[in-house]
């Protein structure tokens, strides 16, 4: 897999779009045109998940994606760590001032913008290396909708209930090993 | 094997080019897995996995197996790729994990029989599988090594892109 830094940026004002669908599709396009840095690719899955709290913010001291209030992911480049308590708004402004001149505006044709973006200079590579992963940052602006989290929990409970009911014998003392297997 | 509409996984999505889940989706998926992992072993036992598959997919038959988080993540990505018609893209981008998955014996070779058992995951028809072995089994041993498999994924994605370009031009 190629490891090009993210070069996509979004206007911060557009992140608070009230239209959930257009935000959702923007995020899809953002992920499609964005690449991941190499440091972020070789992480075991369990480590990625352990590094985040319920709000999706990084809580790991030694690893984790770029996000406000967290330390830098790039362990080989600790000098570029952002202050832990950086304000979200200030961070967005910093990105906007720093980043590439290309901006993707939702709803507009992005093909030519994406092409120009890919041919940008190495200076943007260095800049992007020290800024939060933009697609992740954009995604964090619109959290997973609460109804979907509720759906996830309800579905998991339904599966567990089915599994338990399918294995319960008439005599409760004969509970099967599959359900009661313990370490 | 298709995802049931309205299930939690059905709402997740893969990046169209790299066929990866976003961090948010991975986080939600991990939380889903850990709710199912009632024993706290970072594994779904055979019963739970069976009921999970039957709840979220239209799979009728299933041999019971255990599954860990890493394999669970891989399975979900494959299901999503299948759901969104990104099978070829997925195989191209993740050829190594897919090859390892199909290499059931662990001898760094994929046989036609083993590939045939799991071809439904990648929407490969029977005749396509026969053609695949015919065209890409360079060594002639009726087995695919990784290089031959990788070549197949490259050619496949190239054909797909050409077809898409032709379709766009016609439009």
């Amino acid at each position: 897999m190629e490891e090009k830094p993210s070069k996509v940026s979004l206007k911060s004002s557009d992140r608070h779009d009230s239209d959930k669908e257009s935000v959702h599709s923007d995020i899809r396009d953002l992920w499609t045109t964005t690449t991941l840095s190499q440091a972020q690719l070789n992480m075991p899955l369990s480590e990625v998940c352990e590094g985040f709290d319920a709000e999706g913010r990084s809580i790991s001291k030694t690893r984790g994606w770029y996000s406000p209030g967290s330390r830098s992911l790039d362990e080989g480049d600790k000098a570029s760590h952002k202050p832990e308590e950086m304000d979200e708004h200030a961070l967005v402004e910093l990105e906007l001032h720093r980043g590439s001149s290309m901006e993707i505006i939702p709803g507009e044709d992005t093909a030519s913008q994406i092409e120009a973006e890919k041919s940008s200079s190495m200076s943007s590579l260095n800049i992007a290396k020290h800024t939060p992963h933009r697609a992740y940052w954009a995604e964090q602006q619109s959290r997973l909708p609460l109804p979907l989290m509720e759906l996830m929990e309800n579905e998991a409970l339904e599966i567990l209930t089915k599994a338990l009911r399918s294995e319960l014998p008439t005599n409760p003392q004969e509970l099967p090993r599959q359900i009661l297997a313990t370490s | 094997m298709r995802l049931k509409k309205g299930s939690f996984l059905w709402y997740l999505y893969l990046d169209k080019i790299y066929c990866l889940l976003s961090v948010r989706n991975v986080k939600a998926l991990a939380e889903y897995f850990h709710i199912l992992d009632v024993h706290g072993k970072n594994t779904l036992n055979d019963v739970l996995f069976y009921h999970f598959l039957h709840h979220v997919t239209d799979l009728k038959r299933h041999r019971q197996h255990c599954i860990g988080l890493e394999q669970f993540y891989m399975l979900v990505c494959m299901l999503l790729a299948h759901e969104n018609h990104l099978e070829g893209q997925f195989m191209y981008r993740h050829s190594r994990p897919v090859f390892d998955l199909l290499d059931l014996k662990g001898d760094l070779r994929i046989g036609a029989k083993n590939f045939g058992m799991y071809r439904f995951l990648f929407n490969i028809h029977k005749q396509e599988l026969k053609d695949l072995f015919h065209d890409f089994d360079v060594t002639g041993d009726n087995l695919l090594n990784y290089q031959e498999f990788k070549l197949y994924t490259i050619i496949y994605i190239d054909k797909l892109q050409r077809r898409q370009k032709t379709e766009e031009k016609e439009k």
Side-chain angles (χ1 to χ4, degrees):
Chain A
M1 297 181 216
E2 296 84 358
E3 293 88 23
K4 293 180 188 171
S6 166
K7 297 172 189 165
V8 175
S9 64
L10 289 170
K11 287 184 179 176
S12 60
S13 57
D14 292 329
R15 292 264 41 81
H16 302 287
D17 225 322
S18 58
D19 186 347
K20 190 168 75 173
E21 270 200 17
S22 66
V23 168
H24 188 68
S25 62
D26 292 340
I27 290 173
R28 287 179 193 238
D29 289 340
L30 192 58
W31 279 103
T32 299
T33 57
T34 296
T35 58
L36 302 172
S37 66
Q38 187 167 7
Q40 300 166 355
L41 278 177
N42 295 328
M43 192 183 297
L45 181 62
S46 53
E47 285 187 7
V48 172
C49 298
E50 283 168 6
F52 290 87
D53 60 14
E55 292 298 313
R57 293 180 184 231
S58 172
I59 56 174
S60 169
K61 290 187 178 180
T62 58
R63 56 179 183 266
W65 299 92
Y66 288 116
S67 70
S70 71
R71 296 188 187 179
S72 168
L73 172 67
D74 190 352
E75 293 180 355
D77 194 13
K78 293 182 182 171
S80 66
H81 286 189
K82 291 194 174 297
E84 284 187 69
E85 299 301 322
M86 180 176 274
D87 181 62
E88 287 188 12
H89 181 66
L91 188 62
V92 169
E93 283 190 351
L94 182 65
E95 285 186 38
L96 290 174
H97 285 302
R98 267 188 190 174
S100 68
S101 58
M102 303 306 300
E103 292 181 51
I104 291 182
I105 298 168
E108 292 187 4
D109 180 19
T110 60
S112 56
Q113 288 176 330
I114 291 166
E115 286 301 314
E117 189 179 86
K118 285 180 182 174
S119 60
S120 61
S121 66
M122 287 301 288
S123 59
S124 63
L125 172 73
N126 292 328
I127 290 167
K129 197 176 172 185
H130 301 291
T131 56
H133 190 279
R134 291 177 188 275
Y136 169 75
W137 168 242
E139 192 181 59
Q140 289 304 303
Q141 298 303 303
S142 57
R143 306 269 185 245
L144 197 65
L146 282 176
L148 196 57
M149 289 301 291
E150 202 177 313
L151 169 70
M152 181 264 281
E153 288 167 1
N154 290 339
E155 187 173 293
L157 289 172
E158 274 178 41
I159 293 169
L160 289 173
T161 306
K162 279 184 188 175
L164 186 64
R165 284 182 181 162
S166 70
E167 292 294 320
L168 278 177
T170 49
N171 183 0
Q173 290 179 357
E174 294 173 6
L175 285 168
R177 63 149 188 94
Q178 292 94 338
I179 300 296
L180 293 183
T182 55
S183 58
Chain B
M1 182 169 66
R2 308 289 309 209
L3 284 173
K4 286 185 183 168
K5 193 174 178 180
S7 63
F8 167 66
L9 296 184
W10 187 77
Y11 286 98
L12 302 184
Y13 55 89
L14 290 180
D15 169 85
K16 280 180 266 185
I17 294 179
Y18 296 101
C19 295
L20 293 169
L21 285 177
S22 66
V23 174
R24 183 180 67 180
N25 286 343
V26 169
K27 176 67 183 170
L29 187 68
E31 201 169 323
Y32 182 67
F33 181 88
H34 288 302
I35 293 175
L36 292 173
D37 177 26
V38 287
H39 301 299
K41 291 187 175 180
N42 214 32
T43 304
L44 299 187
N45 63 30
D46 46 357
V47 174
L48 285 168
F49 186 44
Y50 171 85
H51 284 281
F52 159 75
L53 275 184
H54 275 256
H55 189 86
V56 302
T57 70
D58 58 359
L59 190 67
K60 300 288 182 230
R61 295 175 299 164
H62 166 61
R63 289 168 59 187
Q64 293 182 331
H65 294 289
C66 302
I67 189 168
L69 177 59
E70 301 277 345
Q71 296 94 345
F72 184 79
Y73 172 75
M74 173 87 169
L75 173 68
V76 169
C77 288
M78 283 162 50
L79 283 173
L80 290 171
H82 186 53
E83 192 68 28
N84 296 293
H85 309 290
L86 292 170
E87 299 96 338
Q89 191 84 347
F90 186 86
M91 279 201 294
Y92 170 68
R93 289 291 174 185
H94 307 292
S95 54
R96 190 79 231 187
V98 170
F99 181 85
D100 291 342
L101 181 74
L102 296 171
D103 177 21
L104 297 176
K105 292 181 184 174
D107 58 355
L108 304 180
R109 299 283 188 277
I110 301 175
K113 187 182 173 188
N114 288 344
F115 205 155
M117 282 166 56
Y118 296 102
R119 61 179 176 83
F120 71 96
L121 289 172
F122 307 104
N123 200 26
I124 297 175
H125 302 298
K126 223 171 183 177
Q127 188 56 44
E128 286 175 346
L129 188 66
K130 281 184 185 171
D131 294 343
L132 192 167
F133 273 83
H134 180 265
D135 296 338
F136 294 96
D137 179 19
V138 177
T139 50
D141 56 357
N142 290 327
L143 297 169
L144 289 181
N145 60 26
Y146 177 66
Q147 285 78 17
E148 291 164 347
F149 179 74
K150 180 72 184 175
L151 186 61
Y152 159 71
T153 63
I154 292 169
I155 302 292
Y156 181 95
I157 208 69
D158 186 56
K159 278 185 188 171
L160 191 67
Q161 285 170 350
R162 283 172 196 261
R163 199 187 318 151
Q164 284 170 350
K165 278 183 188 172
T166 310
E167 285 170 2
E168 278 169 20
K169 279 182 187 173
E170 284 171 4
K171 285 180 186 175

